[in-house]
Amino acid sequence: MTSHLADRLTPLIRNCWYVLCWSTEASRDLRSRRVCGDDVLFYRTSAGQVAVMRNRCRHRSFPLSRGRLQGDNVVCGYHGLVYAPSGKCVFAPSDPDNRSDISAQTYPFIEREGLIWIWPGDPTLANQSLIPSTPWFTRPDWDYVSGYMPYPANYVALHENLMDLTHFAYLHTGNIGTQEYAAAPFKVATKGSRVNICRTLERCSLPALLAFPTGLGDKLVTRITDTWYESPALNLTNSTVVDPSPEPGSTARFEFKVVHFITPATQSTTHNFYAVARKFRVGDPSVPEHTRMCFEKAFREDQDALMWIEEAQALEGIDFAEIHVRSDRGSLLMRRDLKKRALQEQSPPGCSENYVA
Ligand code: FES
Ligand SMILES: [Fe+2]
């Protein structure tokens, strides 16, 4: 019987808006990034517009990113086909009369709030209203730190890592986790296909990540970690620290957003575009460096953990009867949604016998 949980072998979901890159990564250089198995070229025209197309010449599959820009057009570095930013071939040196129906493969894409989103699936389903709103990157009362990290693992494992933050206490000891975090009470809820797991710690001390920017040091506070699986492309944590006895005139409530835009690169590699936004000490130059240092250390620890798990599963197979514990509840609901979406894409319309609920 087919498992109802997504795993590293589940087909990647293409009908979804994924982050291709931060806006700051797109420039007059030809760059490429793999999305759901496809190598995708991106650059900006001289007017600053983003151009996106498959990084594979229609003639003999030469990577277009290894060619060059000629004005706003891309010249293939092998036999010189020239592609406009729209993907349409506008010149074929050795066959100048036969180019009208040649085009690089293109994808729906949009630049919005500092991100470039791409839809690698059926273009007729690419509804822009499905792109999540990310107001913390543009609103003046928020500030943020952002980055990118590749993971040598299937994207389901990264979603699962983020849905069970028990691992804070063990994999990220002292940095973003404290010992009592693992045993903290939590609630799991769903809203449509979204899955939520929320942990609340009362009278707890803070790890370095939160103690420094809040200025709360070793004071005992309330820490709420409210994590949402939003879609195959996004995990969002609303992290709140409440000081029960603030000094007169000082802040009592500190809000963070920890955002992971998750884009499957291949079946066994994943892009993680992350951001940590805060609604206090906006513009304070002392915060970003500390936040970046704490998170990059933690994400490298996650990178190692997921790589070791991926290796074990690749070498020995996944038929291992893994056990589940109580804190897996959110992640199991998330994996169920990913599997359902993947099977819906694999099945022709009206056919659902592959999905076992
Ligand atoms: S492979 Fe690009 S022109 Fe031949
Ligand atoms: Fe982690």
Side-chain angles (χ1 to χ4, degrees), residues 206 210 342:
L206 292 173
L210 301 175

Side-chain angles (χ1 to χ4, degrees), residues 197-226:
I197 179 162
C198 185
R199 281 182 195 253
T200 303
L201 278 82
E202 306 281 1
R203 293 186 54 74
C204 71
S205 56
L206 292 173
L209 169 76
L210 301 175
F212 175 80
T214 58
L216 291 169
D218 55 8
K219 195 168 185 178
L220 296 182
V221 297
T222 301
R223 178 182 181 188
I224 304 158
T225 313
D226 176 49

